[in-house]
Amino acid sequence: MNKKLLTYFTLILFCLSGSLLSQTYQLTGNPVNTTGWDVVPSAAVNTDFIQLTTDQTSKVGGIKLNAPINLKYCDKWRVEFDFRIDGNGTPTYGRGDGFAFWYLANPPAAYVTGGGLGIPANATGLMVGFDIFNNTTEGQMSKVHLLYGTNNTAGSNIEFNNTPGSTFHSADLNPTQPFVGANYKHVEVTGEVDPANAANWIITIKIDNTSIVSQSFAPSGTAAGMTQGYFGFSASTGAASARHSIKNVKVYTDKVSLLQNSVSQSFCPNPSNGYGTANLTAFNSQFVANPANYTFTYYVLGNSTPIANPANFQFNANTTISVRVKDNSSILCDNPDGTILLSLAPFTANEATLTGCNNNNAGTAIFDLTTANVTGVPGVTKKYYKTLNDLNAGTNEILTPASYPSAPGSVYVKVTTPQGCTGTAKINLAFYPAITVNEATLRSCFIDADPSKALFNLTSANVTPLGSAVKKYYSSLANAISGTNEIVNPSTYVAPNGTVYVRVIDANNCYTIVKINLIVLSPVLSSVLKDKTICIDDKTTLDAGPGFDGYEWSTGATTQSISDIPVGIYWVKLKTGSCITTQTVKVNPSSQPVISGVDITNSTIAINVTGGTPAYQYSLDGISWQESNVFSGLSRGDHKIFVKDFYDCEPIHITITVPNLINAITPNGDNVNDVIDYSVLAYKKNLMLVIYDRYGNKLYEADKLRNFKWDGTASGKKIITGTYWYVVTWNENDKNNTPTKYTGWVLVKNRE
């Protein structure tokens, strides 16, 4: 090692503290967080590593934990770190000196240069040096030095310390594991109590998983009495130069963490001998979460001899037990801080109270009597009775204490400890506070497609002021009580008038059932708005009537009535409260009457009308009207007939022809009155002349082929003189082809 040394120290401490699995003290992050550490220049943070020295001569630096670590109860500890030594060196001395890892009772107040690698003279503890300068030959090397003792050699250089049993010096590792290079090397240093000699440590050092040393070392000098120390690193350069860097340092040294340091329990003395008996191992889970991972040793406080049978420890006075907890993995140090305070006291059970749910005000609750906290003593047996007299007599024991139905009141329990001590306690039975509920009513507007039903938001019903309550909805009381067939869509529930039930559940999981009445707001129609019939070209007024909160017509109007409305189909939305009813109204065109036939007798005509709406009115001029359908005294020729119905719309009309009257013929061949001739009406549709005798027998029929004439014959023979009837029929030349019938009689004079 060179004459000048800069010490650099990086430490990560894993420890168990309180209820945490471990607490870590480390130098991590990018840049490295050095909180909790003493850093001495020229050491400095450089991204994710600590640069102990720069590549210059006469540089020193180091770092150490700012609090000491006590390894008194550590059977095994381990340190891990990565190091790198690089740089240009000097022409004369090359690179130097190296760095050291140590656990010192008296860490340096200031780091020194030279062959001591920054370790001061007479330093006491464990020192491991990684040396790259041979102070004898002044050449380059890669050696590991170890000293478990006091650094009291000349020049304060552990390279020259050869205390028997306390030192180690490796061969030169340059050929296989040179310390100088661009890459980091991983180091593990493990310390373990030598089972053959508890004062010694077996120290194992590995570099990149290659074992450098693994042997027992005895503490020499004042190191033998050392109880605590500081972990640290130091490095220096002297006349040579090198850059020393370390990172990823981990030091596992902390002792087992306890959930609590002290536990206590009272025991009932055995009546036969006055001794209490404790199973000390039963307390293990109160000290650590996983007792199987640890070894426990028990001592009577002040006695160094372990208790031989801790599972059956007997005592006749209040006793404090010291508990030592050892980590089976040997990573954590032993913890001797646990204590068990054992006391002898007559057993007493404690009065307790159980609270249950008076569900739906049933008047009883189901109580689990076994949960009443009447004692903390483990392993007791309990028997429950309705009355204290039953308990004392040992009669009428409650056989189902885990599901005991009861109104508010009390029961009694007899508690017996494993030692045979007994105690009696009262268990008070009470109800949780009643859940305040209110029957509610929801009103909702009808559904257009199904007016007998409405869409209800059951969750909006104010059934309880308890804001934290859970509410479940059911269609029947039976379902609500059993908690089955829950309504899964309470916010969009479609239903007719009726009732649903709500199971209101509080934070204690108690429930009360309350009813919600559902009312469907039915459609409200206008009683005055009716369909109308008007003439096709007329207009009318539609009035929905008063009493509604709003109107909206299909025309866009928002008034009660609308005017100048022609034939058509209309709707109006009538608002009642928050509901809207759509009502349709029709304005129908009146149907026109139809002249179905005309009967003409001499100069009298009778008009036959169908369709439209009676009563009908009739006119010959469209001005003067009469209710009778008969017009008399008409002249021969064409007449226009007008007809209108009840609605007084534009009248219909037809033109009627009143034929010439022929009352006598003398078919004697003189060409004077020889025939009845209606050929003048040949322009009429379907014209036909038919002759009947006085008995109604048809004698003759004249159509177009007979030129609508009759010559007083029948079947080719002259008929006898007499009066005969005739009928002339045709269809008027109008759009309805109105059938017209003209009737009369004729005297036929034939010479015998």
Side-chain angles (χ1 to χ4, degrees), residues 433-477:
I435 303 173
T436 301
V437 294
N438 317 294
E439 183 175 327
T441 297
L442 291 180
R443 294 174 172 83
S444 186
C445 300
F446 66 93
I447 298 173
D448 288 337
D450 189 355
S452 66
K453 296 179 180 179
L455 178 66
F456 295 93
N457 180 2
L458 304 181
T459 64
S460 66
N462 183 21
V463 295
T464 179
L466 185 60
S468 61
V470 174
K471 289 170 275 188
K472 297 185 177 182
Y473 303 84
Y474 301 87
S475 59
S476 71
L477 180 59

Side-chain angles (χ1 to χ4, degrees), residues 5 7-12 52 63 71 77-81 98-104 117 119 125-130 145-147 158 187-191 201 203-205 230-235 246 249-253:
L5 176 66
T7 301
Y8 173 82
F9 167 79
T10 304
L11 176 63
I12 299 178
L52 301 175
I63 187 168
L71 299 182
W77 52 266
R78 185 171 78 250
V79 177
E80 298 180 18
F81 60 89
F99 73 97
F101 156 70
W102 35 257
Y103 174 70
L104 299 178
L117 301 175
I119 303 172
L126 176 67
M127 293 152 270
V128 180
F130 296 83
H145 309 300
L146 186 150
L147 170 61
I158 65 173
V187 177
E188 295 180 14
V189 181
T190 302
W201 273 347
I203 305 296
T204 300
I205 300 175
Y230 295 82
F231 283 102
F233 291 83
S234 58
I246 58 173
V249 179
K250 303 178 180 67
V251 179
Y252 302 92
T253 62

Side-chain angles (χ1 to χ4, degrees), residues 23 62-63 87 192 207 243 270 281 320 329 340 450-451 489 495 523 546 568 623 645-646 675 709 741:
Q23 183 179 5
I63 187 168
E192 184 174 3
I207 300 178
R243 183 175 65 166
N270 189 319
T281 65
T320 299
S329 68
I340 303 172
D450 189 355
N489 57 339
I623 299 173
D645 67 358
F646 168 81
V675 296
K709 297 178 181 179
K741 181 173 68 174

Side-chain angles (χ1 to χ4, degrees), residues 67-301:
I69 300 298
N70 189 342
L71 299 182
K72 177 180 179 181
Y73 294 102
C74 278
D75 292 333
K76 184 177 182 179
W77 52 266
R78 185 171 78 250
V79 177
E80 298 180 18
F81 60 89
D82 297 332
F83 78 87
R84 180 180 64 188
I85 302 176
D86 58 3
N88 296 317
T90 61
T92 303
Y93 296 106
R95 301 178 183 87
D97 285 320
F99 73 97
F101 156 70
W102 35 257
Y103 174 70
L104 299 178
N106 52 341
Y111 296 100
V112 298
T113 62
L117 301 175
I119 303 172
N122 297 315
T124 296
L126 176 67
M127 293 152 270
V128 180
F130 296 83
D131 196 355
I132 61 173
F133 187 81
N134 191 322
N135 284 285
T136 301
T137 66
E138 296 190 343
Q140 305 298 300
M141 68 177 183
S142 294
K143 283 189 176 184
V144 175
H145 309 300
L146 186 150
L147 170 61
Y148 186 16
T150 301
N151 183 25
N152 55 8
T153 58
S156 302
N157 194 334
I158 65 173
E159 178 185 359
F160 302 124
N161 194 311
N162 291 294
T163 302
S166 300
T167 58
F168 167 80
H169 304 283
S170 74
D172 189 355
L173 300 176
N174 260 336
T176 57
Q177 288 185 298
F179 294 170
V180 177
N183 297 323
Y184 280 91
K185 292 183 175 296
H186 182 69
V187 177
E188 295 180 14
V189 181
T190 302
E192 184 174 3
V193 174
D194 188 344
N197 188 342
N200 291 7
W201 273 347
I202 297 175
I203 305 296
T204 300
I205 300 175
K206 294 181 180 180
I207 300 178
D208 288 339
N209 210 33
T210 298
S211 180
I212 305 301
V213 63
S214 182
Q215 66 184 53
S216 180
F217 291 88
S220 60
T222 55
M226 180 178 174
T227 59
Q228 68 176 22
Y230 295 82
F231 283 102
F233 291 83
S234 58
S236 74
T237 64
S241 69
R243 183 175 65 166
H244 303 85
S245 304
I246 58 173
K247 67 177 181 178
N248 297 331
V249 179
K250 303 178 180 67
V251 179
Y252 302 92
T253 62
D254 202 17
K255 62 184 177 182
V256 173
S257 176
L258 301 183
L259 299 174
Q260 54 187 337
N261 289 333
S262 180
V263 297
S264 61
Q265 185 169 323
S266 295
F267 289 81
C268 176
N270 189 319
S272 63
N273 58 18
Y275 275 81
T277 300
N279 179 3
L280 302 180
T281 65
F283 295 94
N284 293 351
S285 61
Q286 298 186 52
F287 291 112
V288 293
N290 299 295
N293 295 338
Y294 303 90
T295 298
F296 296 81
T297 307
Y298 310 88
Y299 306 84
V300 174
L301 187 65

